[in-house]
Structure formats: C-alpha cells, structure tokens
Amino acid sequence: MPDHVASFEQLVLPHLQAAYNLARWLLRNDQDAEDVMQEASVRAFRSFDGIRGNNPRAWLLAVVRNSAYTFLQQNRARELATEFDEDLHVEQALSARAPETPEVLLLRSAQQRILNEAVEALPIEFREVFVLREMEELSYREIADVARIPIGTVMSRLSRARRQLQAAVARREQAGSAS
Amino acid sequence: MICAETRRVIDAYVDNELDLRGALEVEEHIAGCPACGAEERVLRELQASARAHLTRHPMPPDFEARLIARLRGDDAAAPVVRAAAEHVSAAGPRVVRRARRAWRWGALAPAAAAVAVLLVAVPRFWPKQSQASVEDAVIAAHVRSLLANHLTDVASSDQHTVKPWFQGKLDYSVSVTDWAAEGFPLAGGRLDYVEDMPAAALVYKRAQHVINLFVWPSKSGSEEPVQRLSRRGYGAYRWSKDGMSYWAVSDVNDADLRKFVELTRREH
C-alpha cells in the first residue's frame, strides 16, 4: 500500500467521526451528511500531501465544513441567506417540529431535547462555532481557521449563539412548566 | 474593570482564551459584582449542559470501511492531481504561483469558490469590502491582537525564525526584517485574516507600544503611495508595492510610526 494512503489512514481517519458529527450538525439530516462526507473524504484524500500543518483534525473539519457549505449553496441556498430574526427564528423552528411520542420523551430528558432543538434552530454561522467549541472543544484560533473568519468574529458569534440558546431554553422550560 | 468591559470578554474568559492579566481582571470584577457573577454561572451551566447533552451523531456503521476500500482502490487519483499541477507550472512563474496555491490550499479552493458565490448571493452577510471596511478590519485586527491572548503565533525577535514560520501557512512569501537597531525590535509574527484572506501580521515593539504590520497580496496589483489614516485613536499607514498591500497600525506617536513606515518601505 502506498505511503500516503497509509499516512492518510493514520493521521486523518481517526477524526472521521468528529467530521461526520460536524457535517450532520451543519446539514441537519443523515442522508445529506453522508453524501457530503463521502465527497469531502475523497476531496481530503486527493489534496492530502503528507501532514497538513500540525493539526489534521482541524484540517479535516475545515474540508468537511467547506464541502457542507458548497452543498448548501447548491441545494439549500436559502439556509445560508436567512437573516437571523433574534426571537422568531428559534421559536418557529421549535414549534414546527412534530410532537414526539411519550416513549421517546421518556428516553431523552426534556432538557436534552430542548437544548438539541435550540442548537439545530440556530443559523448556520452561529451553529458551527458553537458545535466546534462545545463538541470539538476547539480553541478560538482553530475555529477561526476552520471557518476562515477572524478570531474577533469567532468571539462575537459564539457569544451571540450562547445568548440565543439561553433565551430559547429559558422560554421552552417556562412553557413546559406552565402547560 | 467595569461591567460592560467584562461582558465583552466574559465568553473568552469562560473559554480560557484570555491571557493571564485579562483573566485576573475579570476574576477580580466578578468577585465583587453579583450580576456579572450570575452571567458567568449561566454561561458555565450552558457549556456543561451542551457538553453533556448535545447529540454526537454516529457515522453510518460501515462508512469508514467503505471509504478505506474506495481510497485503496482509488489511489491513482492523487498522482493525477499532482501531474496536473506540474503540467500547469510549465506555463510560467505567475501560473506556478497559482498552481502551487491551488495545491497547497487544494482542499480549501472549493470553499473559496463557495465564498465567492456567497459574496454575490448574500450581500448582507458578506458586504462588499470598501477601503473603509478594510481599514476597520485592519484596525480591529490590531485591537484584537492586543486584547485576547493573541499578539503572536510565533514569538521571536529573529527574522530567520519568523519568516520560515509563514511558509506553508501563506501562499506568498513575506520579507521580515528586525529593526531593533533603529528602535523597532521585532516581537514575532501572527497569521490573521483581513477581507476573508489570510494575512501575515508582523509584530514590532516601540517602547511599550505595539506596531502591527499587515502584509497580503494586493487585489489590484497596482502601486499605491503611502496614505495616512487614523481612527479610534490608532494611526495607520497603508501602501502597495510590488504586488503587496501593507498596513502599519499602532498607537505610537505619528512621528515614530512614520519613521517605521519609511524603514519598512525602504526594505520592501
């Protein structure tokens, strides 16, 4: 087996799960996430040139993130263009959701479900910094490199994402205890 | 430190992204301010909750195996791309640079295309960059470098350390000179972003002040004379030479900054 296949498998593939998770959070459904991952993995392999920088995980996440954006641009451009309405956006996304069965609700705590739905409802540029920070625990510098935005923008998007989530979660919990 | 300042950096504080001095200032403020203390607790709770509860979506079970099978079968693909890059490079030096860029940023090139599309399609998110917005971006980058723990990525007064550090991170070469003898010692270098493009930031000191010299390939490619600008208490000089754009930004007095600009221009 040629060297660069071996080193790709050794350096990059350990981060495949993290990359899939990111794609799934950006695209919000399994089929699209799988398609984008297929395409991104092959693209990553073809442009793989030995060790990429010293951070193969951030590099793979960047490739997948870019593929996801390209996919959205071609197929669901509206999601990229949505102007963020501070309150409406999250509320609408939450109320549009089909009610879950009692069994599912029992399996997943209300808090968990509310938080996941609220993150899903964030506009993509807020969702991506939040997921990269809280799920991948990337530093601001790494997030800046993956998303190709300045560190100051990482900081402000993360901050806004958190304020939105706090507000959405608080509203949901209030509504839950009232009903 | 007042509440407004604390709120501005409290996320960075919770994320351990502040330098020691900044973190101590926030800590001290929070100890005496219940409102900011509550904000910190809420942030930490959200963070803990997100880390515990966000769904980690599993890959389809056979995804990795299928991918490996495909890579091993599809290995011929990589040499094809390499050969294409070499073929293009026969066309001349300018194209070589482009070809190398395409290679090095191979994976990011499609993203650049996507960003280009976004620039057209989503003007609200990606406003067209006028000179004023470049100025804002450069000054914001300067301020940011002083705020968060991010003045330098490579801290060195040795130009022979700083210059090679940029190689592989940028697709253009940046000349680096230490002006210690002239009173502007080199402190290091940093990778920054201006107009969504990676830019080299060379960091110099003048007594207690910091000078950021930003360098990136100019878009027009034309020579532009030195222009002086000032905004928000920072002085800035910009010029273009030999296909590169330069911005020097600092809060030092204007005479010193001008002297620095003259030194740099003589070199570049």
Side-chain angles (χ1 to χ4, degrees):
Chain A
M1 186 168 51
D3 279 354
H4 73 278
V5 179
S7 65
F8 184 82
E9 289 181 8
Q10 190 192 340
L11 291 170
V12 181
L13 292 194
H15 309 293
L16 214 52
Q17 175 56 57
Y20 180 84
N21 183 57
L22 176 66
R24 177 62 180 71
W25 273 101
L26 294 180
L27 297 160
R28 298 188 288 199
N29 77 66
D30 293 321
Q31 189 53 56
D32 288 349
E34 191 175 342
D35 289 350
V36 162
M37 274 303 287
Q38 295 266 9
E39 194 259 323
S41 312
V42 171
R43 184 188 284 180
F45 176 67
R46 290 183 181 176
S47 59
F48 179 71
D49 188 16
I51 178 80
R52 303 295 308 220
N54 49 12
N55 195 339
R57 186 166 67 124
W59 176 73
L60 181 64
L61 290 173
V63 175
V64 167
R65 181 257 180 201
N66 291 327
S67 294
Y69 269 72
T70 306
F71 176 89
L72 288 172
Q73 185 62 39
Q74 286 163 356
N75 299 286
R76 286 150 51 185
R78 212 167 51 89
E79 287 178 37
L80 297 175
T82 315
E83 181 82 347
F84 188 31
D85 183 318
E86 300 267 333
D87 294 319
L88 266 181
H89 198 97
V90 175
E91 281 303 305
Q92 280 174 349
L94 291 176
S95 58
R97 208 160 269 272
E100 303 205 36
T101 61
E103 291 81 2
V104 175
L105 284 180
L106 278 176
L107 286 172
R108 298 159 66 197
S109 76
Q111 193 192 10
Q112 179 174 359
R113 187 174 55 89
I114 288 169
L115 184 65
N116 274 281
E117 289 178 0
V119 174
E120 278 217 334
L122 285 174
I124 189 163
E125 69 274 21
F126 295 92
R127 200 182 331 133
E128 77 177 337
V129 294
F130 190 77
V131 167
L132 289 170
R133 176 68 205 143
E134 304 302 12
M135 301 198 76
E136 298 312 324
E137 300 187 29
L138 296 192
S139 69
Y140 287 9
R141 167 85 261 167
E142 290 170 317
I143 297 172
D145 286 339
V146 170
R148 302 202 85 195
I149 51 177
I151 287 192
T153 308
V154 173
M155 216 185 290
S156 60
R157 284 188 186 169
L158 195 50
S159 176
R160 280 191 68 191
R162 285 169 171 162
R163 302 303 175 278
Q164 290 304 317
L165 290 172
Q166 282 163 14
V169 167
R171 274 197 302 271
R172 288 291 282 183
E173 280 173 351
Q174 243 168 22
S177 61
S179 64
Chain B
M1 192 173 237
I2 55 169
C3 292
E5 278 175 61
T6 303
R7 297 300 169 93
R8 204 161 43 80
V9 295
I10 196 163
D11 286 89
Y13 171 71
V14 167
D15 290 321
N16 292 322
E17 292 271 347
L18 290 182
D19 61 14
L20 185 62
R21 200 189 57 183
L24 286 174
E25 279 174 11
V26 172
E27 221 168 271
E28 197 184 329
H29 175 85
I30 281 175
C33 173
C36 290
E39 176 76 10
E40 185 212 354
R41 269 195 308 282
V42 168
L43 277 175
R44 289 201 192 276
E45 271 167 29
L46 176 65
Q47 182 160 68
S49 175
R51 290 180 179 190
H53 293 316
L54 284 185
T55 304
R56 211 164 266 285
H57 297 282
M59 272 189 290
D62 55 345
F63 183 85
E64 185 165 353
R66 274 187 286 139
L67 178 65
I68 289 175
R70 184 166 174 196
L71 294 182
R72 289 182 185 173
D74 193 31
D75 183 40
V80 170
V81 177
R82 241 172 235 143
E86 276 155 20
H87 174 72
V88 176
S89 58
R94 190 171 176 80
V95 187
V96 173
R97 210 178 78 147
R98 283 179 189 278
R100 245 191 283 130
R101 173 190 307 190
W103 180 240
R104 198 171 291 150
W105 290 95
L108 298 176
V115 169
V117 172
L118 280 170
L119 281 171
V120 176
V122 198
R124 274 192 291 199
F125 277 147
W126 303 90
K128 190 173 171 298
Q129 299 273 0
S130 62
Q131 179 177 314
S133 69
V134 176
E135 192 181 327
D136 282 336
V138 168
I139 289 178
H142 173 77
V143 174
R144 213 157 55 221
S145 75
L146 305 176
L147 262 186
N149 181 22
H150 188 229
L151 188 57
T152 56
D153 290 328
V154 52
S156 171
S157 58
D158 181 359
Q159 59 209 45
H160 303 297
T161 304
V162 175
K163 184 181 161 75
W165 182 85
F166 282 111
Q167 283 164 9
K169 296 185 177 63
L170 296 171
D171 61 336
Y172 48 92
S173 111
V174 178
S175 61
V176 181
T177 310
D178 179 20
W179 300 110
E182 287 78 9
F184 299 95
L186 180 67
R190 183 178 79 247
L191 187 64
D192 218 315
Y193 290 88
V194 176
E195 290 187 287
D196 299 318
M197 292 287 293
L202 304 179
V203 182
Y204 290 87
K205 289 281 173 72
R206 176 70 167 184
Q208 298 306 310
H209 302 277
V210 171
I211 301 174
N212 270 297
L213 177 66
F214 297 91
V215 186
W216 69 89
S218 78
K219 281 196 173 148
S220 63
S222 57
E223 305 276 300
E224 285 172 50
V226 178
Q227 244 183 300
R228 179 176 186 280
L229 308 143
S230 78
R231 186 173 290 208
R232 287 158 54 186
Y234 296 97
Y237 284 86
R238 64 174 292 268
W239 68 97
S240 295
K241 202 176 165 188
D242 299 332
M244 304 297 269
S245 285
Y246 297 87
W247 286 73
V249 187
S250 184
D251 62 345
V252 294
N253 66 63
D254 187 51
D256 280 354
L257 189 55
R258 185 182 294 269
K259 187 176 162 203
F260 174 80
V261 168
E262 277 159 15
L263 281 170
T264 311
R265 271 177 63 75
R266 217 179 300 149
E267 181 67 17
H268 295 297

